Amino acid sequence: MSALLSHLGAGLPILAAPMAGGPSTPDLVVAAARAGGLGFLAAGYKSPDLLATQIQAVRAAGVPFGVNVFAPNPVPVDPAAYRAYAAEVRREADPYGLTLPADPIEDDDHWADKLDLLVTDPVPWVSFTFGLPGSAAVTALRDAGTTVLQTVTTADEARAAADAGVDALIVQAPAAGGHSATLTPATPPPPPPVTLPDLIAQVRQAVGGLPIIGAGGIATAADVAATLRAGAEAVMVGTVLLRTHESGASEPHKNALTDPAFDGTVVTRAFTGRPARALRNHFTDRYDAVAPPGYPALHHLTSPLRKAATAAGDTRLIHLWAGTGHRHARPEPTSETLTRLAAAL
């Protein structure tokens, strides 16, 4: 058993990834732990109060778990580019009677309050995505008894995370669904192509003995086995869990993952201003080329439209986050998905 997992009592080296915006429910996190693995709550886009409530719900189940936080790494949007993009997107919003934000909204997703919550009411694991938390934050969490992880997408990012003092790395390959964890989000997508095993090898060479969790495009038992052979102590899966019974993903999103009408995935910043992999649809086709970099401003701009489209089942306009293995997602209990993924271990 991995030393990284053993002190938590997690015997299955398969973790449920944090998926912000609804999919990572407390029920999914608990189900992953009861199947022998471990799950992460997604703090992103939640108020500190809601995050505290979800932490309490998982803690009451008596299982190990983690919390993922968006560390600030803003991409300020050019105001003129924002207004031009808002004018483009408005043609989709008008039929829904929506008023989109006229000016950019720049915030840090309650960073300080969430960090304070996790220091004063510690959880077993905390992972960071989008930015580096800084050595002071890492030290405060570690002093509170928390294992600290950082999501990285390159060897250079792994070195920076190691310098910040984290305990372990989540190495995310470009095949991952949803947002890339890149620390340079203004760089135009798509990311450089690299397989997860090759990326793990690059990171291991860069940072030596830091434990690694592999993520990105893992959808089969063979993917899991290959990632562990490459030197990861565990794997992290997200897209393959989106259709599970415990997932909080919307029904249109769940159905689209296996709908033959969707012919593949693309990396786009059209929805949020950060690169993210989604099922190709009308919105990605029409707006990716004209979307400026700008997070969180573009996230707040398109959020009302995405919510309205989801409620209406309008998959032309929904951010259908999906990794390259999305066809393997099944409508089954989380425990069955994790058991299936562990078949080759």
Side-chain angles (χ1 to χ4, degrees), residues 58-304:
V58 178
R59 186 177 283 137
V63 298
F65 68 102
V67 172
N68 174 259
V69 183
F70 291 166
N73 185 14
V75 182
V77 70
D78 176 79
Y82 176 89
R83 288 191 290 271
Y85 190 56
E88 292 283 341
V89 173
R90 194 170 296 123
R91 71 183 68 192
E92 310 291 355
D94 285 346
Y96 283 100
L98 299 173
T99 300
L100 303 181
D103 298 309
I105 298 172
E106 308 280 9
D107 63 18
D108 65 1
D109 198 40
H110 306 285
W111 162 251
D113 289 340
K114 289 175 181 176
L115 186 60
D116 182 64
L117 169 66
L118 293 167
V119 169
T120 58
D121 188 17
V123 301
W125 283 18
V126 168
S127 67
F128 293 103
T129 304
F130 290 0
L132 293 172
S135 57
V138 173
T139 298
L141 288 164
R142 295 187 70 194
D143 287 347
T146 296
T147 296
V148 180
L149 304 92
Q150 176 68 40
T151 312
V152 299
T153 64
T154 67
D156 285 344
E157 292 176 359
R159 292 187 189 97
D163 289 343
V166 302
D167 295 294
L169 301 171
I170 300 166
V171 175
Q172 183 198 56
H179 283 109
S180 168
T182 178
L183 299 182
T184 55
T187 302
V194 60
T195 67
L196 180 54
D198 285 347
L199 183 57
I200 289 171
Q202 294 170 17
V203 169
R204 285 181 65 84
Q205 184 174 12
V207 297
L210 268 187
I212 288 173
I213 297 168
I218 298 171
T220 67
D223 295 334
V224 172
T227 304
L228 298 180
R229 284 198 305 270
E233 294 198 15
V235 304
M236 180 174 279
V237 297
T239 300
V240 76
L241 297 174
L242 282 172
R243 299 184 74 212
T244 60
H245 296 171
E246 296 86 358
S247 165
S250 70
E251 287 304 312
H253 190 177
K254 289 182 177 182
N255 294 336
L257 292 169
T258 54
D259 185 340
F262 295 95
D263 59 3
T265 65
V266 293
V267 176
T268 180
R269 64 182 178 208
F271 293 108
T272 69
R274 278 191 66 102
R277 186 174 293 279
L279 295 178
R280 180 185 171 193
N281 64 1
H282 163 76
F283 199 90
T284 63
D285 285 351
R286 173 65 182 82
Y287 297 102
D288 182 64
V290 296
Y295 181 89
L298 264 64
H299 159 72
H300 291 298
L301 171 67
T302 66
S303 179

